[in-house]
Structures are given as C-alpha cells and as structure tokens.
C-alpha cells in the first residue's frame, strides 16, 4: 500500500507553516517591544489609537494642528489597538496587535503561494517571510501597521478570488469580498494599488487556468486573444466582483472620501528619501531599496526564470518588474512619467519595492526548496560535491543572518530617532497650574512627540500626520514637522520661526526643547527658559500669550460619525465569523489542485548564478562591515583627514577628532578638550550643523600640506560661513593635523563680583490649585513708546519704533501689528529677531516689524495700522550683555563701518555676543534695525573687537506719511510721540548700538 503523496505534501506544508508562525512569535514577538521606540510611524498609529480610545465616535481631535479630522485615515487598525489598550498599555497593545497581524500575514503568504506551487513550497515561503528583510524593515524600522494589515488580508483574499473565477461558486466571492473589506478599512493605499498589482494578475492567472490546454499552448498573440475571449465569457462574474468592490470601497470608508472631496490636500510636496536619486543619495537607496530588496536581487535570475517559464504568470511579470521600477524612486525619470507629477510627489515610493518583495516570495521559496532538497541540489552535488553545497549554503545563511541582525539594529548603527524621553515630567508640568490652557511645541523629540500627545490632552501646533494639516505656515513649505525643522534646511527654520514669532496667534506658550540647536532662535524671538525638568528637557515660555480659544471646525453628520465607529469593526467581525463558518462547512481537501505542476528544475546557468549571487551579496556585506570597522584609514590622504576631522566635529566626537592631530605629549586629549572649552563656543561651534565644505590647496608636498577649508554651517539664525587654515604633516604613512597655538589669554582679574541686579517673583500668596486671585496679581509694567514710523524701501515695507521700560521692574513685552487694507482685508504681523522682548528697568530698545513684501502695500492701500503692546512682569531674560563701546566711520553716503569693543563684565559666558544696530536721522527718526551676532563666545571679564559694515537706508528709502499708527498699551490708547533731535548725530553718524547677546548658562534658574 502506497502513501498518497498529496497527503504527505499537505502535512509537510502545514508543518512548515506552524513552524514559521512559531518562529515569528519567538523572534519578532520578542524584539518588537524594544524596536518600537525607534520606528518612524509606530507612535503616530498609537496616537490615533489613543484618540479612538478616548473619543470613539468623535472624529475631531484638537491636539494637533489646532484640530484635525481623524477620518483622514482609515480607522480599523487604530480602533483595534484602542480596544486592546483597554486591557493593556498602549505600547503593549501595539506590540500584541503587530504580532497577531504578522501571524495572519504568514497564513496569507502560505495561501498566496499555493496559487503558484505546491503546499511544501508554500510552507517554505511562510518560513522565508519570517526572515525577509522587507518585512523586518517595515515592522521594526518603519512601524507601518496599516500597510502590513492591508497586505495580510489582501493575500488571504486573493485565493478566494481565484477560486471564484475558476469554479464560480458564490461562497468564494463572499469570502474574497469580506477580506477585501478589511483591506479597505485598514489601508486605502493598499486597497487602491492592490487592485493593480495583486488583483489584476490574480484575475489574469485565473482566466489562463480556465483555458483548455490546446488554447493555452498557442503563440503569445493567440494566447492573449484567448484570454480576452475567456474574460468576455466570464464578464458576469467579473462585473459582479468589480461592482461589489466599488460599493465596498465607497461605502465602508465613505467619510474618508467625503473628507478628501470637501477638504482636499493642497500643500507643497514634502521631500521623502524614497523619491531621491539613489545614485546621488546612497543613504536613501540603502534604506528604501537595497535593504528591503537585497534578497530579491540575489535571487533575481531564478525569480525571472520562474516568472517567464509559464504563461499563467504573465500578469505577475508585469506587476513585479513595474513595482521594482516604481520603487527605484527618482533614480530614473520613468516612475515620475508613469505615476504623474502629483502622485509621484505625494506617494512614498518604497511601498512599491515592498510589494515587489511580496510578489517574489513564492518564487524565491521555490528555488530555495529546489536548491536545498530538490533537483537543483542533485545537480549541484553531482557537479561540485556535497561538501561544496553544504559550505555554500551555510556561509550564505550565516551572512544573511548577520544582515538581518543589522536590520533589527539599524537604529543603533544609524540613529533614526532621539534617545527615549521620559514623558512623565512633561505630563506633570502640563497638568499643573492649568498649563493645558495653552498650546505647546516640542523640539528634538522625533516621533516621540506623538507618544507625548497620546499620553496627554494638551494641544500642540505641530503634528505627525501631514495629510491632515491645514495651517498655511506648514502647507506652504516642504516641511515634515516643526520639531525636526533643522532637517528641512531653510524652509524648516522659516516655518518654525513663523510659529515662534506668531505665538499669540496660536496660543503657543510653552516649548519643550530636547535639542540646543534651537536655543539661539528661541532666545532672539522672545522665549525664556523657565525650568529644566527631571528628564533633562528644557521648558521655554513666552509671556503675554492668550489662552486657547474654541476654534470652529467642520461638523460631520452624526450618521457619518456612527458609521465611522461601527462599520470597520463590523467588517472584521463578519469576516472572522464567515471564515469560521467556511472552514467548517465549505473547506475542501483539494482546495488547490493545479492542473499543471511546476517543476523544480532550473537551467544549469540559472542554478549556478542564483547559488553564487546570495553568497556574493551577503559575503561582500560582511567583509565590507569588517573592513570599515578595522581597515578603513581615515588618514590616508590630507583631504580625507580634513573631511573626517570636520565630520567628527559636526557630531561632537571630540575624542575621534583629537586622534587626527599629530601625536604630541604636550597636546593630550585633556589639553585639546580644555582649549576647545576655552577658545571655542558660540554660534558656530555649539549651535550649528555642517552644511557643506570646500578644501583649497595652498601648498602641498609629499610630507607637508597647507589648506584653506571653507565651510558653510546651518544655524537656527541662518547660514554662517567660515574659512580656516589647516596645516598637515605626514608621519608613518598617515596624515595628521598640526595643532595651532592657543591665542586665548587669561583675564588679569581672577575673582570679581557681578554688577547686575536679579529679580524674582514670589508667586501666589495662597497655596491653592485654583487660578490666581486678584490679590495675587501684579500690576503690568509701564512702557513708553518714543516713536513709531512706517518705512518703505524698494518693495519692502516695515514698521520701526522705539520704546522704553519706565517702570522699576523688568518687563516682558509683546508687540502685535494689525494692518487693515482699503480692500477690507486685515492681517497681523509680529516682530521677529529685531527686538528685545525683555527689558530691565529703564532699559530702551528699538524694534522693526516687517510687513508683507508685495506691490499692493503703499500709502494709498494702507487704511489703518494698530500696534498693540502687552506687558507683564518678567524675572528672566532681561540681561542682554556686557559693556559695549563703538565708533562709526563713514565709508560713503550709504555705508558706514561699525567698530565695536565688547567687554563681558558678567560672571557668566556670553555664548553668542550680539547687538542691535539702529539707524536714525538727524531728526531722530528710526529707519531700520539690524541684528548682528558674533560667531564665537566671549568669556567672563574678556574683551573682543568687532568690525562690521552697515548699509544705511535713509537716502534710498522713504517714510510713509499720512497713515497714523494707533498705539494701545495694555488696552489703553497712547499718543505717538515726535522723535527728538539727536544732538550727537555727527559723532555716531546716526547709528545706535545696544547689546543683545545670548547667554547659554541657566543662571536665571539657579
């Protein structure tokens, strides 16, 4: 009696599937909790889940972007995590959901693979999925749960669709539509493109299998005609399926389509690495193309051969190679031509490469099984011996295992997110003293800003779902988030500066800063440090900010709200119930019986090439990693030494930077660090990122070299340029930098006292959680406006003025200019860096408020200007620098040279010495205000000389008369004073300079 081979194959296939599911649970199930904080999108989906956990039937969430509708994203994934969060914490709920979806995905891959090959091969495909690099990256690097969910149910739906078209039984149509319903409710992009890249090839393959054998073995032209005729004969079934899919897609997530129609996305495209030219930007190519598709490229000969050997796979050939092409991003112009400009700039193209890897799984599994236990193995052993086969398989598997570990720990090799931040201190801060009545902003948090939002009801002006934002400061620039503005270059800093200066407009009062890069911009736009929390986060605050006002939002019909909260969950419940019913009543033993078995034999060249490619790929990877760690010489040439030196400085790796200096017992690491701390500091060394570098040769010999290094640094105050000479010497086949002699002198006075006055507010008189009562309030400081002028220079219009704190307490000042035009429109403007927001008693400052630069702004179009000034008592931020003396020399009629001597008479370091430059005419009228910042710090009791050129405007600009500016100070109207004549105009050429320096030391908080 012989054993039926199909029974043994079925047993082996299911055994491999169970093994794959167990391995997935033991590997991904354990690792996911630890890789979660470093993923791109996990916290975003956790935030959405938190929304449904709190407000299941209310789609409006006020916590991001001053409010947005959550119907802008299909809800099923977030709703399921929200349900789990009722039992488990949010992070644990996310991890549990991820593991469950991964198990469903393995079942889907197993069932999907049975469309092509036998059950044993399908089991191997499930095992391969556990270790597939694209799956590991999507789960552990990107955290894209909706993508994985949509794919898992899509793969489970395709076999039912195939069986419906082949056998025509309604139960298969019902089952396929149920699974497609879950796909639609999980991820709309997978549903839309899945029709093109997965459903269409499945339909083509089913139509091919229906053909009689004699019609399927004709030439290609007649074969296509026969398939088309078969499709025409099956038109009823195809129309029924297509109609049902359209109804499901439109009906299940109708609120989403309603939102996209009534509130379409109109914003500048945000750059994404998947659209880069991978030859020019290799880091993007590595993350979005090489890592997920390395295994596919290694097995590409075998995959291509398997796809082309059978006409029934023709649809998958087109789908596979088209996905590979689209996944290449901007490397070639073809993806943009195929998708169109709009789709190319909106979509993240890495998803196409990911889908290509999924299509390739059955064909990779078919070759692997053949090479390990099939005809390919027999041929290899007969030709090269069993030992060679074992060694080749072992080395390839081991190196791929190392490659997989690299993917799991990609965030360790290439940090994708800041270090984890404890959010409890931030939550405690927001919960006390009614701080949640204002909005906040995070800087340097990465995607953890979404994790903070998920744990608090406080509102922020930022957010992490770009399609939902509608604020013009964000949609008008290619900026991903405000919290990582520095990574968007000038556009990011410009958007951030808009929010910092227009803080009253958005009730933005608090900033939690985890990156000191932004400190200079925060200071010069009027923000003050308040407290450093226990987790190391600095809290910045701005005074005179109104509390959050209720903003009108688009109301949805209650029917749509209930539909959004009920229908997606019901679709999953119905799918699960029907699946159980199907397994019990309709499951057949011969569920997939292919008429034509696919042989596991390959041509000899395919076997040889495909066996050696994975070995070469992953061995090369391992050798390269080891060589980079052990054998790469950073000092092989003068240029490489200089580049590596500045790279280490950019990332503040001072020990590595010191290693590139010529070894000298008198120039130890301690000495280097000491000189860095004494000589360096300031805007460039402490608050800048290297943007570009240019190396110019001055004198080079075989043993010595002199170079001029020109660098451009991106700071929060704009770009800064620096030119630095470097001398290098060659020793022992390596090039070293010769240390420059230290020029810093030690001040004569070694001990001195401060000569400035500090103020401190005592706080409430009563210890209570209620808001301040009348007896606890302090009178607002008195401010006097000396003058206000409207100046027009070329196409630039701005308001200049001068004010003084006439009170005996320091004052925090807020300016808001409201301009009404003759057309009836009204706009609000705020000062930026050209103003001292905090004034000590009797201190004076000038200011400048820029108005929009366009041709319609002139004296005839301006109808009214209203300047509102708000003050409150400040205890910090009013000390702006030390002693400043200066002389002015006239260069020509429009330019003067400013020579200043700046002495730091404070007991702390002036991190960024700076001053405000004001131009006045003989009548005392202020024509402009400029901010100058010195790139290096000034130590206590030290002096520095500063020379800069100032371009005067009074001869090329004009003062606009006839538009009286209404001035309101704390709600009381004031009179615009007439500027007083300057008696010393000739001596200083109309230039007035006052200190305006940034002090990094937190002496206010002591």
């Amino acid at each position: 009696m012989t054993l039926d081979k199909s029974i043994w194959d079925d047993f082996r296939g299911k055994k491999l599937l169970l093994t794959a599911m167990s391995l997935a649970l033991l590997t991904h199930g354990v690792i996911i909790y630890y890789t979660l904080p470093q993923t791109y999108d996990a916290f975003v989906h956790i935030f959405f889940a938190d929304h449904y956990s709190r407000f299941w039937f209310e789609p409006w969430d006020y916590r991001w972007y001053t409010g947005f509708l959550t119907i802008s994203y299909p809800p099923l994934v977030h709703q399921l995590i929200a349900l789990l969060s009722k039992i488990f914490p949010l992070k644990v709920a996310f991890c549990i959901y991820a593991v469950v979806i991964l198990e469903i995905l393995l079942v889907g891959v197993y069932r999907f693979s049975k469309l092509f090959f036998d059950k044993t091969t399908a089991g191997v495909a499930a095992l391969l999925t556990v270790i597939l690099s694209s799956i590991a990256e999507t789960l552990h690097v990107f955290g894209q749960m909706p993508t994985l969910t949509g794919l898992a149910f899509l793969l489970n739906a395709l076999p039912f669709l195939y069986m419906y078209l082949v056998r025509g039984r309604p139960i298969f149509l019902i089952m396929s539509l149920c699974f497609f319903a879950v796909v639609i409710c999980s991820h709309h992009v997978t549903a839309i493109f899945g029709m093109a890249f997965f459903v269409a090839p499945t339909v083509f393959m089913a139509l091919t299998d229906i053909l009689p054998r004699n019609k399927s073995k004709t030439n290609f032209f007649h074969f296509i005609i026969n398939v088309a005729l078969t499709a025409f004969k099956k038109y009823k079934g195809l129309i029924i399926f297509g109609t049902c899919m359209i109804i499901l897609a439109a009906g299940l997530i109708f609120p989403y389509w309603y939102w996209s129609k009534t509130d379409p996305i109109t914003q500048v495209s945000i750059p994404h690495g998947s659209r880069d030219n991978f030859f020019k930007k290799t880091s993007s190519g590595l993350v979005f193309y090489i890592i997920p598709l390395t295994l596919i490229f290694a097995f590409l000969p075998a995959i291509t051969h398997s796809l082309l050997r059978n006409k029934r796979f023709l649809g998958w050939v087109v789908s596979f190679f088209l996905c590979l092409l689209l996944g290449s991003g901007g490397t070639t112009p073809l993806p943009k031509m195929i998708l169109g400009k709009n789709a190319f700039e909106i979509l993240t193209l890495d998803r196409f490469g990911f889908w290509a890897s999924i299509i390739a799984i059955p064909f990779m599994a078919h070759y692997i099984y053949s090479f390990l236990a099939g005809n390919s193995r027999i041929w290899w052993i007969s030709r090269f011996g069993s030992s060679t086969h074992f060694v080749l398989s072992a080395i390839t598997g081991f190196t791929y295992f190392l490659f997989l570990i690299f993917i799991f720990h990609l965030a360790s090799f290439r940090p994708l997110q800041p270090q984890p931040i404890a959010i409890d201190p931030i939550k405690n801060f927001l919960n006390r003293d009614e701080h949640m009545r204002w909005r906040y902003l995070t800087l340097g948090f990465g995607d953890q800003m979404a994790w903070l939002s998920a744990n608090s009801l406080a509102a922020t002006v930022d957010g992490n779902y770009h399609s939902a934002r509608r604020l013009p400061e964000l949609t008008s620039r290619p900026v991903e988030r405000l919290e990582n503005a520095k990574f968007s270059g000038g556009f990011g800093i410009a958007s951030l500066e808009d929010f910092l200066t227009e803080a009253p407009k958005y009730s933005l009062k608090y900033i939690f800063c985890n990156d000191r890069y932004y400190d200079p911009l925060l200071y010069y736009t009027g923000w003050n440090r308040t407290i450093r929390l226990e987790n190391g986060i600095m809290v910045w605050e701005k005074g005179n900010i109104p509390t959050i006002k209720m903003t009108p939002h688009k109301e949805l019909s209650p029917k749509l709200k209930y539909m959004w909260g009920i229908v997606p969950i019901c679709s999953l419940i119905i799918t699960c119930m029907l699946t159980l019913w199907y397994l019990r009543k309709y499951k057949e033993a011969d569920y997939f019986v292919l008429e034509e078995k696919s042989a596991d034999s390959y041509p000899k060249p395919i076997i040889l090439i495909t066996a050696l490619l994975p070995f070469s790929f992953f061995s090369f990877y391992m050798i390269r990693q080891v060589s980079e760690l052990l054998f790469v010489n950073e000092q092989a040439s003068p240029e490489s030494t200089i580049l590596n030196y500045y790279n280490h400085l950019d990332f503040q790796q001072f020990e590595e930077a010191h290693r590139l200096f010529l070894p000298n017992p008198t120039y130890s690491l301690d000495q280097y660090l000491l000189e860095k701390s004494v000589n360096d500091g300031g805007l460039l060394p402490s608050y800048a990122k290297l943007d570009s570098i240019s190396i110019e040769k001055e004198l080079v010999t075989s043993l010595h070299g002199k170079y001029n290094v020109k660098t451009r640094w991106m700071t929060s105050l704009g770009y800064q340029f620096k030119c630095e000479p470097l001398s290098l010497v060659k020793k022992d086949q390596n090039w070293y930098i010769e240390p420059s002699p230290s020029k810093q002198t030690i001040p004569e006075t070694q001990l001195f006292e401060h000569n400035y006055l500090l103020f401190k507010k005592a706080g409430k008189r009563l210890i209570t959680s209620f808001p301040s009562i009348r007896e606890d309030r302090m009178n607002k400081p008195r401010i006097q406006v000396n003058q206000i002028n409207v100046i027009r220079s070329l196409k630039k219009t701005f308001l200049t003025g001068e004010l003084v704190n006439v009170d005996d307490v320091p004052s925090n000042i807020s300016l808001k200019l409201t301009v009404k035009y003759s057309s009836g429109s009204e706009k609000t403007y705020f000062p930026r860096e050209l103003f001292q927001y905090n004034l000590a008693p009797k201190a004076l400052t000038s200011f400048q408020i820029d108005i929009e630069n366009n041709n319609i702004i002139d004296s005839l179009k301006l109808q009214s200007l209203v300047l509102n000034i708000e003050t409150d008592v400040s205890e910090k931020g009013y000390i702006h620098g030390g002693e400043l003396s200066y002389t002015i020399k006239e260069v020509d009629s429009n330019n003067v040279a400013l020579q200043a001597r700046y002495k730091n008479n404070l007991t702390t370091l002036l991190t960024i010495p700076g001053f405000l430059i004001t131009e006045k005419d003989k009548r005392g009228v202020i024509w402009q205000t400029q901010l100058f910042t010195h790139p290096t710090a000034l130590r206590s009791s030290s002096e520095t000389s500063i020379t800069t050129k100032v371009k005067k405007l009074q001869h090329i600009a004009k003062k606009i008369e006839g538009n009286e500016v209404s001035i309101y100070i704390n709600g009381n109207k004031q009179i615009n004073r007439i500027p007083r004549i300057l008696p010393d105009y000739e001596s200083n050429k109309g230039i007035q300079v006052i200190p305006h320096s940034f002090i990094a030391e937190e002496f206010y908080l002591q």
Side-chain angles (χ1 to χ4, degrees):
M1 181 177 180
T2 59
L3 183 65
D4 188 357
K5 185 179 182 301
S6 63
I7 297 177
W8 172 247
D9 184 63
D10 180 60
F11 170 76
R12 187 163 49 185
K14 291 181 178 178
K15 186 176 180 180
L16 290 172
L17 174 62
L18 291 175
T19 303
M21 296 176 72
S22 301
L23 285 176
L25 183 63
L26 293 174
T27 54
H28 297 280
V30 174
I31 298 173
I32 181 64
Y33 188 81
Y34 300 98
T35 58
L36 168 65
Q38 296 295 324
T39 59
Y40 279 118
D41 294 337
F43 285 132
V44 180
H45 302 305
I46 287 177
F47 169 79
F48 274 87
D50 175 73
H51 167 85
Y52 289 108
S53 178
R54 298 177 189 265
F55 322 108
W56 189 276
F57 290 107
E58 177 49 60
W60 181 260
D61 197 303
Y62 63 88
R63 289 178 287 180
W64 284 359
Y65 308 124
T66 67
F68 74 102
L69 287 171
T70 55
I71 61 172
S72 54
Y73 203 105
L76 182 58
V77 173
H78 307 137
Q79 290 174 346
L80 293 174
I81 299 174
L83 291 176
L84 287 173
S85 70
K86 298 297 183 181
I87 305 174
F88 306 98
L90 272 170
K91 283 185 179 179
V92 177
F94 181 89
C95 295
I96 292 174
Y97 178 82
V99 173
V100 172
I101 287 301
L102 184 59
E103 300 289 355
I104 297 175
L105 177 62
L106 293 177
V107 176
V109 169
Y110 177 77
R111 300 182 68 244
F112 173 68
S113 300
K114 289 195 294 181
L115 292 174
F116 305 92
F117 306 109
D118 57 77
K119 296 178 181 180
T120 301
T121 303
V124 175
L127 276 173
L128 180 63
T129 306
V130 178
I131 59 172
L132 192 64
S133 59
S134 60
I135 297 292
E137 186 181 49
T138 303
L139 181 61
H140 297 283
V141 178
F142 298 148
Q144 294 174 345
M145 277 302 102
T147 299
L148 289 174
T149 304
L151 179 66
F153 285 92
L154 175 64
L155 294 180
N156 278 282
L158 294 179
F160 287 115
L161 173 61
Y162 173 86
M163 295 302 294
Y164 166 67
L165 294 175
V166 171
R167 299 191 175 180
R169 298 179 62 182
I171 183 62
F172 295 125
L173 173 63
I174 295 172
M175 293 302 303
S176 66
L177 292 177
C178 287
F179 280 97
F180 278 121
V182 179
V183 176
I184 293 168
C185 295
S186 301
H187 197 224
H188 55 293
V189 177
T190 300
I192 294 172
F193 286 95
M195 296 295 292
F197 295 108
F198 287 90
V199 174
T202 302
V203 171
F204 183 88
M205 186 166 62
L207 295 175
T208 302
D209 291 345
I210 296 173
L211 286 175
R213 186 179 298 273
N214 60 335
K215 290 186 178 181
S216 63
K217 293 189 176 183
T218 58
N219 59 51
F220 181 80
F221 178 74
H222 289 93
F223 170 74
I224 296 297
I225 293 178
N226 291 331
V227 171
L229 292 174
T230 306
F232 182 75
K233 293 178 182 178
K234 286 279 186 178
Y235 76 95
K236 290 183 179 179
L238 293 174
I239 291 176
I240 291 174
F241 171 74
T243 304
C244 292
M245 281 296 297
I246 293 174
I247 294 173
L248 288 176
L252 291 175
I253 55 172
F254 175 76
Y256 169 80
W257 303 117
Y258 174 78
W259 164 83
S260 61
K261 181 66 176 178
T262 57
D263 190 15
I265 302 173
T266 54
Q267 57 180 308
V268 176
S269 175
I270 301 172
H272 192 270
S274 64
R275 305 187 204 110
D276 293 337
N277 185 327
F278 296 153
F279 289 120
K280 294 182 178 179
K281 198 167 184 179
T282 55
S283 58
S284 297
L286 176 68
V287 174
F288 296 109
Y289 206 62
I290 300 301
I291 287 179
L293 296 175
T294 295
L295 200 62
I296 283 77
F297 290 135
F299 287 99
L300 191 58
I303 295 171
T304 304
H305 177 266
S306 297
L307 282 169
L308 295 177
R309 72 186 299 178
N310 199 323
K311 292 179 182 178
R312 67 191 299 263
F313 298 155
L314 182 60
W316 295 107
V317 172
V318 177
S319 181
F320 173 71
F321 286 103
L322 184 58
C323 282
L324 279 183
L325 176 63
L326 295 178
S328 64
T331 308
T332 67
L334 295 177
K336 192 171 185 178
M337 294 170 57
I338 296 171
L339 294 172
K341 182 180 179 181
N342 291 335
F344 180 83
E345 293 179 349
I346 293 175
L347 295 171
T348 53
L349 304 185
D350 57 299
R351 69 179 75 247
F352 294 104
F354 175 66
W355 290 334
S357 70
I358 301 302
I359 295 172
I361 288 177
F363 304 98
M364 288 190 293
H366 188 252
Y367 174 80
I368 291 173
Y369 179 65
S370 175
F371 187 77
L372 294 180
N375 291 333
S376 299
R377 177 180 182 273
I378 296 173
W379 177 84
W380 186 278
I381 291 177
S382 64
R383 184 70 181 271
F384 301 104
S386 59
S387 299
T388 307
H389 180 271
F390 174 79
V391 171
L392 181 65
S393 303
I395 294 178
T396 303
F398 177 70
T399 51
Y400 181 74
F401 176 72
L402 295 179
F403 179 72
L404 197 64
I405 292 178
F406 168 76
I407 298 173
F408 281 128
H409 296 279
L410 183 62
S412 300
F413 298 106
R414 295 175 177 267
L416 307 174
Q417 301 287 344
Q419 292 298 316
I421 299 171
I423 64 169
D424 285 339
I426 305 176
K427 288 169 52 181
N428 295 336
F429 178 87
L430 291 171
N431 289 333
R432 66 174 180 258
D433 296 333
E434 297 189 329
H435 290 159
M436 282 199 292
R437 296 178 64 192
W438 293 270
R439 289 191 178 91
Y440 71 90
L441 177 65
T442 57
L443 294 175
F445 274 54
D447 288 289
Q448 293 177 85
M449 62 85 58
W451 176 238
L452 173 60
S453 296
N455 285 271
S456 174
L457 290 175
T460 175
V461 294
D462 202 4
N464 207 10
Y465 180 48
H466 321 312
S467 298
R469 60 189 189 173
R470 293 298 181 268
L471 300 179
E473 292 86 351
L474 289 174
T475 58
S476 60
R477 298 187 180 99
V479 180
E480 185 180 19
R481 293 190 304 269
L482 292 175
E483 70 82 25
N484 64 354
K486 72 178 184 180
F487 298 110
S488 300
F491 291 112
I493 296 299
S495 289
L496 177 60
E497 188 177 4
D498 285 343
F499 282 93
L500 296 180
T501 56
E502 300 176 12
K505 177 180 176 182
Y506 296 108
S507 300
L508 175 61
K509 188 175 180 65
Y510 301 106
I511 291 179
F512 302 106
C513 188
N514 189 43
D515 189 344
R516 68 174 188 171
Y517 174 89
Y518 302 100
D519 287 2
L521 180 62
L522 292 172
Y523 169 76
Y524 283 110
T525 51
W527 293 80
N528 298 314
R529 284 164 292 199
T530 301
I531 185 175
R532 184 174 291 279
L533 302 176
E534 301 92 308
N535 55 2
I537 301 299
M538 175 60 71
V539 182
W540 293 71
E541 179 183 358
K542 199 168 191 178
N544 300 296
I545 302 296
T547 56
I548 298 176
K549 297 180 181 179
M550 292 299 296
T551 55
H553 61 274
K554 190 170 185 177
E555 286 290 344
L556 288 178
S557 167
K559 293 181 180 179
L560 292 181
K561 293 182 181 180
Y562 285 110
M563 177 184 178
W564 192 253
I566 295 175
V567 171
I569 288 291
C570 288
S571 69
L572 179 64
I573 294 174
I574 293 173
T575 300
C576 293
M577 294 176 63
L578 285 177
T579 300
L580 295 175
W581 177 64
Y582 167 82
L583 291 175
R584 184 171 182 178
K585 296 289 185 180
Y586 292 94
K587 173 67 174 170
E588 301 177 5
D590 58 343
Y591 184 49
F592 290 109
V593 180
L594 301 178
E595 295 183 3
E596 181 179 353
K597 294 287 184 179
S598 297
D600 68 341
S601 58
Y602 291 85
K604 297 176 183 179
I606 297 294
I607 298 175
L608 185 63
I609 295 174
T610 311
L612 294 178
L613 271 181
F615 171 79
S616 304
F617 274 34
F618 301 117
S619 298
F620 171 77
Y621 155 75
M622 186 174 67
I623 293 171
R624 181 177 178 182
Q625 292 297 111
V626 173
S627 63
E628 285 183 354
L629 292 175
L630 301 179
F631 304 113
V632 170
N633 186 3
E634 293 185 344
Q635 301 165 255
S637 66
E639 291 79 7
S640 64
T641 303
I642 294 173
L643 289 174
N644 285 295
Y645 172 69
Y646 277 92
N647 181 64
H648 294 319
L649 287 184
D650 188 29
F651 290 94
Q652 297 188 355
Q653 299 169 340
F654 298 120
E655 185 172 355
E656 295 297 322
H658 173 263
R659 189 176 53 80
L660 301 180
F661 281 93
L662 185 65
N664 191 328
T666 62
Y667 197 69
S668 62
L669 178 60
D670 286 344
Q671 181 66 27
Y672 171 69
L673 294 176
L674 177 62
E675 291 185 8
K676 290 290 292 183
S677 63
V678 172
N679 296 335
D680 289 355
L683 183 61
L684 285 189
S686 304
Y687 301 96
K689 290 293 293 181
L690 183 62
D691 183 72
S692 63
I693 181 171
S694 173
I695 303 174
E696 296 181 357
K697 296 180 181 179
E698 185 176 327
L699 179 63
V700 181
T701 65
S702 59
L703 297 177
H704 294 84
K706 290 186 177 181
Y707 293 83
N708 287 322
V709 183
K710 296 181 179 180
T711 52
R712 186 173 78 161
W713 302 80
M714 179 63 191
T715 75
S716 59
L717 299 178
Y719 287 104
Q720 298 284 331
F721 301 87
K722 185 178 181 180
C723 183
E724 184 178 7
L726 286 181
S727 297
L728 290 88
V729 61
K730 189 174 184 180
K731 182 180 179 182
D732 299 332
Q733 304 302 316
N734 289 326
W735 286 89
Y736 294 92
I737 302 173
E738 292 183 315
S740 302
S742 178
K743 300 178 181 179
Q744 191 70 36
T745 58
I746 301 175
E748 295 181 0
T749 306
Q750 294 296 297
L751 187 64
F752 54 94
E753 61 183 2
H754 66 80
N755 58 355
Y756 46 90
L757 185 62
L758 292 177
F759 293 79
K760 184 70 177 177
K761 288 194 291 187
K764 297 179 181 179
R765 296 179 182 179
L766 299 177
I767 301 177
T768 173
S769 61
F770 289 98
S772 300
I773 58 176
R774 183 173 183 179
E775 289 76 9
D776 291 328
R777 297 173 183 167
M778 302 180 67
N779 292 328
K780 288 181 174 291
R782 292 176 290 120
I783 297 296
Q784 175 180 302
V785 178
N786 289 342
Q787 61 171 296
I788 296 289
N789 312 289
V790 181
I791 306 297
R792 179 69 177 272
S793 174
L794 300 177
K795 293 183 180 181
K796 182 178 180 181
T797 304
F798 49 88
L799 188 77
T800 64
E802 184 179 75
L803 52 82
V804 60
N805 179 11
V806 297
D807 215 316
D808 56 359
V809 295
S811 176
N812 188 30
I813 306 170
S814 172
L815 301 182
K816 182 177 73 172
L817 175 64
T818 303
V819 179
K820 188 173 184 180
Y821 302 99
S822 57
S823 62
S825 61
E826 186 176 286
K827 293 191 176 182
T828 303
Y829 304 96
F830 299 87
R832 292 181 178 263
E833 297 93 347
L834 306 179
F835 177 49
Q836 286 187 354
Y837 290 82
N838 298 277
L839 290 183
K842 308 302 184 286
L844 174 145
T845 182
S846 59
F847 64 87
Q848 178 175 312
I849 303 178
D850 293 336
I851 306 176
E852 277 184 334
N853 302 334
N854 54 52
N855 294 324
I856 69 168
I857 300 176
D858 55 39
S859 58
L860 298 177
K861 298 295 182 179
L862 295 175
Q863 182 173 338
S864 65
L865 297 95
V866 178
L867 181 65
N868 286 283
I869 304 176
E870 295 288 337
T871 67
D872 63 8
V873 177
S874 174
E875 60 175 332
K876 52 182 68 71
Y878 53 85
I879 297 175
H880 300 286
E883 296 179 358
L884 179 65
S885 59
Y886 60 93
T887 58
I888 305 296
K889 292 184 179 180
E890 189 170 5
V891 178
D892 53 48
S893 59
N894 293 329
N895 295 278
V896 295
L898 169 64
Q899 295 180 344
R901 190 158 191 84
Y902 210 155
K903 180 177 181 181
N904 181 7
N905 59 353
L906 307 179
T907 58
T908 184
L909 180 78
L910 289 182
T911 311
I912 304 178
F915 42 78
L916 282 178
I917 306 171
T918 305
E919 178 194 351
K920 295 183 178 181
D921 60 15
K922 294 181 179 179
R923 297 179 294 112
V925 174
I926 297 178
W927 288 86
Q928 67 169 324
T929 299
Q930 297 180 13
L931 172 66
F932 175 86
T933 56
H934 193 56
T936 56
L938 185 60
R939 289 191 301 147
S940 180
S941 191
S942 297
E943 294 184 0
T944 187
S945 296
I946 301 172
T947 301
T948 186
K949 190 177 181 180
V950 180
K951 184 177 182 180
K952 301 179 73 172
L953 289 183
Q954 54 187 286
H955 299 299
I956 58 176
K958 68 176 181 178
K959 179 182 177 183
I960 299 179
E961 306 287 353
N963 290 104
E964 184 67 24
V965 181
S966 301
I967 304 172
Y968 291 87
I969 303 179
N970 296 321
N972 300 316
K973 190 171 184 178
Q974 303 293 316
I975 300 176
N976 187 4
R977 296 169 175 266
I978 300 175
R980 56 188 177 86
I981 298 176
L982 296 181
D984 56 346
Y985 176 80
E986 292 298 332
S987 61
N988 60 22
K989 310 299 181 184
I991 300 299
Q992 178 181 328
V993 184
I994 58 174
H996 194 24
S997 303
F998 169 62
I999 302 172
E1001 186 177 341
E1002 302 162 13
F1003 68 94
Y1004 282 116
L1005 309 182
Q1006 297 175 358

